[in-house]
Amino acid sequence: MSVTHAPQTADVLTRQDPELAEILLGELDRQSSTLQLIAAENFCSPAVLAALGSPLANKYAEGYPGARHHGGCEIVDVAERLAVERAKALFGADHANVQSHSGSSAVLAAYAALLRPGDTVLALGLPYGGHLTHGSPANFSGRWFDFVPYGVDAETGLIDHDQVRALARTHRPKAIVCGSIAYSRHIDHAFFREVADEVGAYLIADAAHPIGLVAGGAAPNPVPYADIVCATTHKVLRGPRGGMILCGSELAERVDRAVFPFTQGGAQMHTIAAKAVAFGEAATPAFGAYAHQVIANAKVLAAALADEGLVVTTGGTDTHLVTADPAPLGVDGRTARGRLAAAGMVLDCCALPHADSRGLRLGTAAVTTQGMAEKEMERIAALLAGVVRGEAESARAREEVRDLVGGFPPYPA
Ligand SMILES: Cc1ncc(COP(=O)(O)O)c(C=O)c1O
């Protein structure tokens, strides 16, 4: 039997299910021939894809290693123990739970471990980059808990620490959440710990975005400060789509019971094996170099976009994320995203602090995995600005994008 990665999987499917194979190859072609600037995405390795496409996908495994509700778990138990040990070592955590199916289910489990319905929680407001799970009325978080939002400073775009402290003193929350989908600066975990201690709150760090930078030693580690750290494994960390929770040993049992049986059933053992592979990769010096290059690229991209006239939130970045207002180029984020999509540049819109219009959110995780560096970031910024201004005809811009990405195949043959 052979292990698989995307192109070879397609070979198997071509014989058995050509209709689906065509879809898979179409997506591979889309990912390879357009520019992937979505900040939450990356290209995981062929080894990660191999684990995802392995026979571990067949196994039911409710519970935890050594204490399963199904028979035949002796091999997958080894895989889960390996993933747990690698995660603990990578992030310096006493305890790791690697079963959460997604970042959102990791946050749900963190709340379930620490809170009761109706409890007050302080988190970054959605207009400033908070995630749905940080109190959106459309999400379980906003329906089951009483969220109090903090914001960012109108001038600097930086988290308003004075407001965080004042709101914490007024509302005495049971938990404070730090973490964002769009905040491009490092979060001051020591500050949040201090405020949480002052008001007797738990501190939950939702490090879904920067956790890969933390793994590579390129961003501050929330583990020494937060009671619980939630994360995704598929962003800069470059693993399979999924979630993870890190905590101290005193909360280990509560966290494990909050994941299973409270919020989930059977663990997805193929994904857990793929997480183990990704943690192994992230522990290498090569990944450290990658994480630092991701940030170097984002800094150059932010500066080049500012030179082109976009207003970069906070004036720059410490991470893989750049958010910017294209309004000075004559369009809002939504129109800009549409023009860029037509030219093969794939990115997201985002809320802009203290503005009614939408901005653009870009990330450098995927392009850096492809091998792009500072020179390519400057080219991307120039291309982007030309397309957003409507100067570049989209067919010509599309050709330029194709030419650029053609030199950096995500899965070289
Ligand atoms: C801060 C934050 N929390 C939670 C999530 C949710 O992750 P998922 O989409 O895997 O549920 C995300 C995803 O982007 C995120 O950025």
Side-chain angles (χ1 to χ4, degrees):
M1 193 187 349
S2 68
V3 293
T4 57
H5 70 83
Q8 284 140 17
T9 306
D11 289 345
V12 175
L13 281 171
T14 305
R15 285 195 298 277
Q16 188 181 317
D17 189 340
E19 190 180 357
L20 199 280
E22 204 169 315
I23 296 169
L24 197 153
L25 285 172
E27 174 59 11
L28 184 61
D29 179 59
R30 187 198 67 78
Q31 291 183 17
S32 313
S33 65
T34 56
L35 200 48
Q36 308 310 320
L37 295 168
I38 289 182
E41 292 184 0
N42 208 335
F43 293 104
C44 57
S45 70
V48 168
L49 291 176
L52 282 174
S54 72
L56 272 70
N58 300 330
K59 189 70 199 93
Y60 232 115
E62 279 183 356
Y64 290 99
R68 302 284 190 187
H69 295 258
H70 297 94
C73 290
E74 55 278 5
I75 307 291
V76 293
D77 278 3
V78 182
E80 182 163 345
R81 285 198 181 100
L82 186 62
V84 166
E85 288 311 313
R86 287 182 178 176
K88 283 163 58 179
L90 193 56
F91 299 106
D94 293 342
H95 182 70
N97 184 305
V98 296
Q99 291 198 0
S100 295
H101 297 330
S102 69
S104 298
S105 45
V107 178
L108 170 61
Y111 295 169
L114 301 178
L115 307 174
R116 290 283 170 272
D119 278 345
T120 300
V121 185
L122 200 59
L124 186 62
L126 268 62
Y128 311 110
H131 184 255
L132 283 170
T133 54
H134 302 171
S136 163
N139 182 263
F140 72 87
S141 56
R143 192 177 301 176
W144 293 343
F145 303 103
D146 178 20
F147 270 83
V148 175
Y150 58 86
V152 299
D153 181 88
E155 286 290 303
T156 62
L158 299 173
I159 289 173
D160 186 341
H161 285 180
D162 292 341
Q163 188 197 27
V164 172
R165 198 186 290 278
L167 288 171
R169 285 177 179 164
T170 304
H171 295 277
R172 315 294 293 187
K174 185 87 175 286
I176 300 177
V177 178
C178 59
S180 167
I181 63 169
Y183 193 67
S184 62
R185 297 297 182 170
H186 291 323
I187 284 175
D188 185 347
H189 303 115
F191 162 78
F192 278 98
R193 179 74 264 166
E194 188 189 302
V195 176
D197 284 345
E198 187 190 322
V199 301
Y202 290 112
L203 179 61
I204 300 172
D206 184 355
H209 269 276
I211 198 73
L213 300 174
V214 174
N221 188 353
V223 167
Y225 299 96
D227 296 291
I228 294 184
V229 176
C230 308
T232 54
T233 48
H234 49 268
K235 297 185 169 69
V236 186
L237 189 51
R238 219 158 58 180
R241 307 200 67 76
M244 162 178 72
I245 303 179
L246 305 166
C247 65
S249 32
E250 69 291 352
L251 288 175
E253 202 184 323
R254 276 161 77 176
V255 163
D256 284 352
R257 294 188 64 75
V259 174
F260 173 85
F262 192 78
T263 58
Q264 291 184 185
Q268 302 195 347
M269 297 316 305
H270 56 311
T271 308
I272 288 172
K275 288 174 185 174
V277 174
F279 298 148
E281 291 174 354
T284 61
F287 191 88
Y290 161 73
H292 285 87
Q293 186 63 48
V294 165
I295 296 176
N297 282 353
K299 284 183 186 295
V300 170
L301 184 62
L305 290 172
D307 286 347
E308 293 285 354
L310 289 91
V311 181
V312 174
T313 315
T314 78
T317 181
D318 297 329
T319 64
H320 62 300
L321 271 163
V322 179
T323 67
D325 187 355
L329 307 194
V331 294
D332 71 355
R334 246 184 252 286
T335 309
R337 184 180 66 170
R339 288 183 185 176
L340 291 163
M345 304 177 84
V346 186
L347 43 67
D348 291 324
C349 287
C350 65
L352 288 170
H354 307 289
D356 290 336
S357 60
R358 307 277 289 167
L360 296 174
R361 183 185 75 151
L362 303 86
T364 53
V367 291
T368 308
T369 295
Q370 287 176 273
M372 294 190 203
E374 287 85 345
K375 190 156 63 79
E376 285 75 32
M377 298 306 114
E378 284 169 359
R379 193 169 162 199
I380 289 170
L383 255 168
L384 180 147
V387 170
V388 171
R389 281 194 200 96
E391 287 166 5
E393 188 208 320
S394 73
R396 211 186 66 232
R398 181 76 193 84
E399 270 323 297
E400 270 201 62
V401 167
R402 212 182 279 280
D403 178 59
L404 170 62
V405 296
F408 300 91
Y411 295 109

